[in-house]
Amino acid sequence: MELLHDLALQIPWLFYRTDQWVDGLENYASNDSNRGKISDPPKQQLETALSLLNDYWAVFDQMEEWQNNWKASEQGPLYWYSGTPMPSKVIEVDPVCIPSFPDETYQVRFQNTQKAGLAATFWSFKLELLIGMIKLQRNLFGTQVESLEQNLAMAKETSSLILQTAPYLTSCFEGAVASKAALRATRRYFELGALKQDFDSPLTSMRA
């Protein structure tokens, strides 16, 4: 858990650099418009954005490696869906956090609350990284279309896992506390979609 949080400590700095880059791009577009012309941003800004994306991917890959190591250390699966039989390798299940929702469709189950909270924490960090990359890629003028689509798909999948974990985590106090950060990340993801125009390139909107 400590290593996961150590990796996540890099995320706020990535967000800060992303906001700085987007602000600089908006200022450039505004100044260019005032001069009566619209042009692409300087090559240096694009290179900065691509370098920042590489930094995002470096942290993302480290977190994926952390998850793979966690999976390898477990006797059974990290989680399973409520619609499938309990895995045979799961010897016992936490008797405290038992979801009481009448509809168990699309719920993710865990062996115990600690593992559920750890999974939700990992997914929240992963989703935050994807949100940052999507914000950058939406301002790169079509040069990141394929990668953007992949990140959007991963963000959708990750947010779905968090939401499907919520019934389990919110069924007991310890789980409810662990779910807060993950649900906040999910809300940010949905805001990203609802406010898509805010993340589009300012130059693109001026050309429209």
Side-chain angles (χ1 to χ4, degrees):
M1 186 67 165
E2 291 181 0
L3 176 59
L4 178 60
H5 278 108
D6 288 343
L7 293 174
L9 287 175
Q10 302 175 73
I11 297 177
W13 175 237
L14 291 172
F15 278 3
Y16 173 78
R17 292 167 59 197
T18 301
D19 289 340
Q20 291 291 102
W21 184 85
V22 172
D23 288 345
L25 188 64
E26 291 174 347
N27 290 335
Y28 175 85
S30 177
N31 293 336
D32 214 29
S33 178
N34 291 335
R35 292 195 299 269
K37 63 177 182 178
I38 300 295
S39 61
D40 289 335
K43 181 180 179 181
Q44 182 179 1
Q45 282 186 295
L46 294 178
E47 291 177 346
T48 299
L50 293 175
S51 176
L52 182 51
L53 273 176
N54 287 335
D55 292 341
Y56 269 104
W57 280 117
V59 179
F60 188 91
D61 290 343
Q62 288 176 315
M63 293 188 67
E64 289 290 283
E65 182 180 2
W66 177 90
Q67 184 191 39
N68 291 334
N69 291 336
W70 181 26
K71 286 181 179 179
S73 69
E74 294 291 333
Q75 295 296 321
L78 299 182
Y79 62 90
W80 65 94
Y81 292 93
S82 56
T84 60
M86 185 184 301
S88 58
K89 291 185 178 181
V90 176
I91 300 175
E92 59 182 33
V93 177
D94 189 343
V96 178
C97 270
I98 301 177
S100 57
F101 288 72
D103 183 6
E104 294 188 354
T105 308
Y106 305 119
Q107 289 185 24
V108 176
R109 302 296 297 272
F110 301 85
Q111 188 171 351
N112 57 55
T113 310
Q114 182 180 12
K115 292 177 182 178
L118 189 54
T121 299
F122 168 78
W123 289 328
S124 69
F125 292 154
K126 179 178 179 178
L127 186 57
E128 293 283 9
L129 284 172
L130 289 167
I131 288 172
M133 287 192 281
I134 290 168
K135 184 175 181 178
L136 264 179
Q137 290 171 318
R138 282 181 170 171
N139 283 282
L140 286 177
F141 314 100
T143 62
Q144 294 281 316
V145 174
E146 184 175 350
S147 181
L148 172 59
E149 292 299 322
Q150 292 174 350
N151 285 343
L152 286 169
M154 282 195 290
K156 180 179 180 180
E157 178 185 9
T158 305
S159 64
S160 295
L161 282 170
I162 292 174
L163 291 176
Q164 292 173 67
T165 302
Y168 181 96
L169 286 175
T170 56
S171 62
C172 60
F173 177 76
E174 181 182 352
V177 173
S179 69
K180 287 185 177 180
L183 292 175
R184 281 197 299 268
T186 304
R187 184 175 63 185
R188 276 173 42 79
Y189 163 72
F190 285 113
E191 289 173 350
L192 178 71
L195 302 176
K196 179 179 182 299
Q197 186 175 358
D198 291 346
F199 292 90
D200 286 338
S201 162
L203 296 184
T204 301
S205 61
M206 288 182 180
R207 290 191 178 106

